[in-house]
Amino acid sequence: MIKLTIPGKDEILELEHLVLDFNGTLAFNGKLKPGVGEMLVGLSRQLRIHIVTAGTFGGVEREVQGIPCVLKVLEGTDQTARKGRYVEELGAEHTAAIGNGRNDRAMLKKARLGILVIQEEGAAVESILAADVVCRDINEALQLLQHPLRLTATLRT
Ligand SMILES: [Mg+2]
């Protein structure tokens, strides 16, 4: 678990799950981005990692090999609702979510902590508005979770 207190809001976040979009967030052109695997292995000591994907590029299983995680390949068309429902089923109150696309907006909104990453593919404005924090890339987003005091500084009122 990662626990952080937000000064000025009298809020305590107790995060148990981390849900991540794959394409555009963890991966670029279907390939896991450099450094991401190692950081997720480290974070898996504190958070249960879930990787959600529509599997657009295929080969996701191979890319996430070695990362202790639940790989959730979402079938069907309404990816926005499916990702949102997945966060709800885990318990949105204890879940952080990271994504970049328009279809990540529901999970970013529902999650206790929603982090949007811009990266090479760019981010959907609706998803930016649904998030609590916006980061330039996935490495910075994962570093925020590794150093929760940085998050406290960003979110304090
Ligand atoms: Mg994406």
Side-chain angles (χ1 to χ4, degrees):
M1 193 212 289
I2 291 178
K3 194 169 176 174
L4 64 143
T5 311
I6 311 293
K9 289 182 99 178
D10 276 336
E11 282 186 275
I12 297 171
L13 274 67
E14 294 178 334
L15 302 172
E16 290 168 13
H17 299 278
L18 174 61
V19 178
L20 301 120
D21 163 55
F22 186 72
N23 291 309
T25 297
L26 290 178
F28 185 52
N29 288 335
K31 295 278 173 219
L32 203 66
K33 291 165 69 76
V36 162
E38 293 83 344
M39 291 177 84
L40 287 179
V41 169
L43 277 170
S44 72
R45 288 192 280 269
Q46 288 171 282
L47 296 168
R48 189 95 169 97
I49 312 276
H50 306 256
I51 297 174
V52 291
T53 180
T56 315
F57 292 93
V60 182
E61 293 87 351
R62 194 178 55 242
E63 288 300 309
V64 304
Q65 247 177 27
I67 300 172
C69 69
V70 176
L71 176 63
K72 179 75 179 169
V73 179
L74 298 168
E75 311 288 339
T77 48
D78 194 356
Q79 294 288 312
T80 306
R82 283 171 202 273
K83 286 178 170 182
R85 204 174 309 133
Y86 189 74
V87 164
E88 279 180 337
E89 283 166 8
L90 290 176
E93 194 55 30
H94 299 289
T95 299
I98 306 181
N100 76 309
R102 185 156 179 267
N103 68 13
D104 294 322
R105 67 189 188 279
M107 73 167 192
L108 292 173
K109 182 96 187 157
K110 287 173 195 287
R112 187 67 182 79
L113 177 70
I115 304 177
L116 178 122
V117 290
I118 300 171
Q119 314 207 111
E120 299 87 347
E121 290 189 11
V125 171
E126 277 182 75
S127 297
I128 291 177
L129 297 175
D132 297 292
V133 179
V134 175
C135 290
R136 288 177 294 189
D137 62 44
I138 184 63
N139 290 293
E140 290 179 353
L142 294 175
Q143 280 167 19
L144 279 184
L145 293 171
Q146 288 174 329
H147 306 282
L149 281 179
R150 293 182 193 169
L151 263 177
T152 302
T154 304
L155 293 175
R156 70 187 306 155
T157 52

